[in-house]
């Protein structure tokens, strides 16, 4: 029977890690937790719950790329890559068991995610079904660049699963802003390294376009006040990216 290694990369996730591990216990042949030098009890909690825990230096600018380290420590035939704020559902666990038992040439599976943001399942097009490549054969998938939130590079065919993963995404505005600061650093640096030069018209156009896209074209309005605030925050996100590009160029007039 195929063995599944659940690999979780975590930093300061003592409040999340138990629920994540509990959700995969009936599916996982082993659980590998990569602790990115947490300053809380993430590692201690994971060990008590039976996970194999490995520690590496934290590098917030290479969030996904760091997960390759955890993949290298897995011993299963298949790897399920999770974040500590994600939860497996019984239906998804059942579907995963079914697909990996089939003799198929498919080596990777995209999983839909239910993003719970500020206490609500967000169902507009930007956030749902939010397919993520989460399940793949050992040795056939990895992250290959430093850009944020890029999909795994898969060496073969993939398909989509029907049952969703639950993602307890942003729980507060404070958390959103804390992550925004890191993500916008990465995005501004990426644009700068590609030779992009700050343009004040872009600094106006991109945030406005992002609001229009997320609230109207991607039907953010269907999520009510949640959708409005998330669209405003997305526009703010792009505004910060361009502000940081301006800063890199010495706040030129």
């Amino acid at each position: 029977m195929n063995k599944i290694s659940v690999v979780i990369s975590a930093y300061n996730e003592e409040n999340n890690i138990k629920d994540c591990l509990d959700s995969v216990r009936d599916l996982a042949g082993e659980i590998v937790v990569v602790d990115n030098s947490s300053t809380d009890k993430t590692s201690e909690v994971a060990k008590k719950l039976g996970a194999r825990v490995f520690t590496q230096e934290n590098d917030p600018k290479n969030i996904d790329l760091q997960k390759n380290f955890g993949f290298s420590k897995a011993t299963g035939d298949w790897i399920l890559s999770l974040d500590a704020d994600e939860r497996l559902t019984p239906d998804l666990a059942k579907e995963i068991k079914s697909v990996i038992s089939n003799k198929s040439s498919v080596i990777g599976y995209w999983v839909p995610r239910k993003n719970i943001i500020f206490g609500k399942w967000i169902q507009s097009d930007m956030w749902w079904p939010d397919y993520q490549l989460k399940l793949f054969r050992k040795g056939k998938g990895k992250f290959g660049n430093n850009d944020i939130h890029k999909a795994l590079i898969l060496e073969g065919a993939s398909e989509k699963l029907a049952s969703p993963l639950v993602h307890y995404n942003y729980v507060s505005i404070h958390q959103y802003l804390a992550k925004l600061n890191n993500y916008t650093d990465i995005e501004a640096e990426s644009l700068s390294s590609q030779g992009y030069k700050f343009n004040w018209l872009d600094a106006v156009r991109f945030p406005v376009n992002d609001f229009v896209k997320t609230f109207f074209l991607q039907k953010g309005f269907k999520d009510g006040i949640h959708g409005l605030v998330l669209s405003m925050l997305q526009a703010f996100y792009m505004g910060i990216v361009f502000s940081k590009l301006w800063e890199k160029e010495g706040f030129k007039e």
Side-chain angles (χ1 to χ4, degrees), residues 8-11 34 36 56-69 71 81-83 143 145-150 178-184 186:
I8 302 163
S9 179
Y11 174 71
V34 178
N36 299 304
Q56 65 175 356
E57 184 178 352
N58 189 41
D59 185 358
K61 296 191 183 301
N62 292 294
I63 298 169
D64 288 332
L65 195 60
Q66 284 189 291
K67 296 177 182 179
N68 291 336
F69 175 75
F71 301 158
S81 175
L82 294 181
D83 294 328
F143 289 97
N145 57 53
N146 296 344
D147 292 339
I148 56 173
H149 296 157
K150 293 294 185 181
K179 289 189 176 184
L180 174 145
N181 193 43
N182 181 48
Y183 294 160
T184 52
I186 297 169

Side-chain angles (χ1 to χ4, degrees), residues 29-228:
E30 71 169 350
I31 300 174
V32 175
V33 172
V34 178
D35 178 33
N36 299 304
S37 300
S38 295
T39 57
D40 65 2
K41 296 181 179 179
T42 297
S43 179
E44 180 182 330
V45 173
K47 287 177 181 177
K48 285 182 178 179
L49 293 171
R52 298 173 59 215
V53 178
F54 300 88
T55 301
Q56 65 175 356
E57 184 178 352
N58 189 41
D59 185 358
K61 296 191 183 301
N62 292 294
I63 298 169
D64 288 332
L65 195 60
Q66 284 189 291
K67 296 177 182 179
N68 291 336
F69 175 75
F71 301 158
S72 72
K73 299 299 182 183
T75 62
D77 306 292
W78 289 82
I79 292 175
L80 177 63
S81 175
L82 294 181
D83 294 328
D85 57 3
E86 294 174 329
R87 309 285 181 265
L88 209 66
T89 63
D91 285 345
L92 178 56
K94 183 179 179 180
E95 188 175 4
I96 288 173
K97 289 177 182 178
S98 175
V99 296
I100 68 168
S101 66
N102 296 332
K103 293 183 178 179
S104 168
S105 60
V106 176
I107 62 166
Y109 291 92
W110 295 80
V111 181
R113 284 198 308 188
K114 293 177 65 172
N115 283 288
I116 311 299
I117 303 178
F118 308 145
K120 179 178 180 176
W121 174 22
I122 305 301
Q123 300 181 54
S124 55
D125 295 350
M126 179 178 178
W127 298 101
W128 173 255
D130 189 29
Y131 280 100
Q132 303 289 318
L133 185 54
K134 289 289 187 178
L135 178 68
F136 58 95
R137 283 193 179 274
K138 163 77 172 175
K140 297 297 183 180
K142 66 178 182 179
F143 289 97
N145 57 53
N146 296 344
D147 292 339
I148 56 173
H149 296 157
K150 293 294 185 181
L152 277 156
I153 298 171
L154 191 68
E155 300 175 13
S158 63
E159 290 183 354
K160 291 180 178 178
L161 298 184
S163 304
L165 186 72
V166 179
H167 182 207
Y168 289 95
N169 205 328
Y170 303 108
V171 299
S172 67
I173 302 296
H174 181 273
Q175 183 194 29
Y176 182 97
L177 293 175
K179 289 189 176 184
L180 174 145
N181 193 43
N182 181 48
Y183 294 160
T184 52
D185 275 352
I186 297 169
E187 195 150 343
E189 180 60 39
S190 176
L191 286 170
S192 179
S193 67
Q194 295 170 32
Y196 177 85
K197 298 299 181 183
F198 175 80
N199 182 315
W200 73 267
L201 286 173
D202 286 345
V204 173
R205 179 166 59 92
F206 276 84
V208 170
N209 286 352
D210 262 26
F211 179 84
V212 171
K213 181 178 71 174
T214 56
F215 191 69
F216 293 105
L217 299 181
Q218 295 179 327
K219 301 180 178 67
F221 57 83
K222 291 179 9 181
D223 291 310
I225 296 298
H226 280 71
L228 174 63

